[in-house]
Amino acid sequence: MDAFLASTVAVAIAEIGDKTQLLSLFLVARYATRLPIILGIFVATVLNHALSAWLGAWVASFIPEAWLPWILAGSFVAIALWLLVPDKDDSADSKFLGMGAFMATTIMFFLAEIGDKTQVATVVLAARFTETFWVILGTTVGMLLANIPVIMAGRWLMERLPLATARIGASVLFVVLAVVTVWATFMNS
């Protein structure tokens, strides 16, 4: 359950103000049909984060066990610093928009997540927790928790969210994950 909760909270908070959240806003303004957009986000996230989590678990299997907590803690700190940099909306016209709300959302979200903070976080979380399924489920739920309100409330919500505060909060959360990782290493030694 720790893997699910940590993954859900980490991604939900990290997603606030992220480019995929801006993409959600763009897509709902473009299509106005919400359910296909939500389903597209779900499918894209499950596919992207499943690949990412399996990569994280695979990489963790090759790293010497004594090094893993330190690499993970360093990765969490790097993500924390990365979260402090605001994302820019680069969802301008795309060749995928003519495919309809579901397909456009699925493809654009999958592509937008490649190399994104939440994808990197998923890799690191899967390396940290052995329960890969729960990491995938948690990061997917976190993505939906962050994006569904944007889809439902649109611009009204985005205008009222303190994005700088959210980025700082997400950054602090990843620093806490780094500290917990190091702490657990010392407690288990």
Side-chain angles (χ1 to χ4, degrees):
M1 211 53 179
D2 288 345
F4 173 75
L5 292 174
S7 299
T8 300
V9 171
V11 169
I13 293 174
E15 253 320 279
I16 296 174
D18 191 72
K19 68 182 173 190
T20 48
Q21 205 171 45
L22 299 172
L23 178 58
S24 292
L25 186 60
F26 168 77
L27 289 165
V28 79
R30 166 83 182 190
Y31 294 109
T33 54
R34 288 166 169 76
L35 185 58
I37 295 169
I38 292 168
L39 292 174
I41 291 170
F42 173 76
V43 169
T45 303
V46 167
L47 293 174
N48 190 293
H49 288 197
L51 292 171
S52 302
W54 288 324
L55 174 66
W58 180 73
V59 168
S61 71
F62 290 104
I63 296 172
E65 199 159 324
W67 296 7
L68 189 60
W70 301 103
I71 292 170
L72 292 174
S75 298
F76 283 135
V77 170
I79 293 169
L81 294 172
W82 188 7
L83 284 166
L84 296 174
V85 179
D87 277 342
K88 298 197 177 19
D89 185 7
D90 56 357
S91 60
D93 283 338
S94 169
K95 59 186 171 208
F96 304 116
L97 294 175
M99 298 178 155
F102 174 75
M103 283 307 293
T105 301
T106 302
I107 293 168
M108 291 174 76
F109 246 82
F110 184 86
L111 294 175
E113 272 297 293
I114 294 174
D116 192 53
K117 291 172 249 200
T118 50
Q119 184 187 40
V120 173
T122 301
V123 171
V124 175
L125 287 162
R128 163 71 174 86
F129 296 104
T130 57
E131 302 88 3
T132 306
F133 171 79
W134 291 108
V135 170
I136 296 166
L137 186 61
T139 59
T140 301
V141 169
M143 181 71 76
L144 292 172
L145 285 173
N147 284 289
I148 289 176
V150 171
I151 293 165
M152 301 311 284
R155 289 201 188 281
W156 180 89
L157 184 61
M158 291 301 286
E159 290 169 357
R160 287 160 178 78
L161 278 176
L163 297 181
T165 304
R167 280 194 304 276
I168 291 168
S171 181
V172 168
L173 175 65
F174 277 95
V175 169
V176 167
L177 285 170
V179 169
V180 167
T181 300
V182 171
W183 180 266
T185 301
F186 283 124
M187 297 306 287
N188 292 329
S189 312

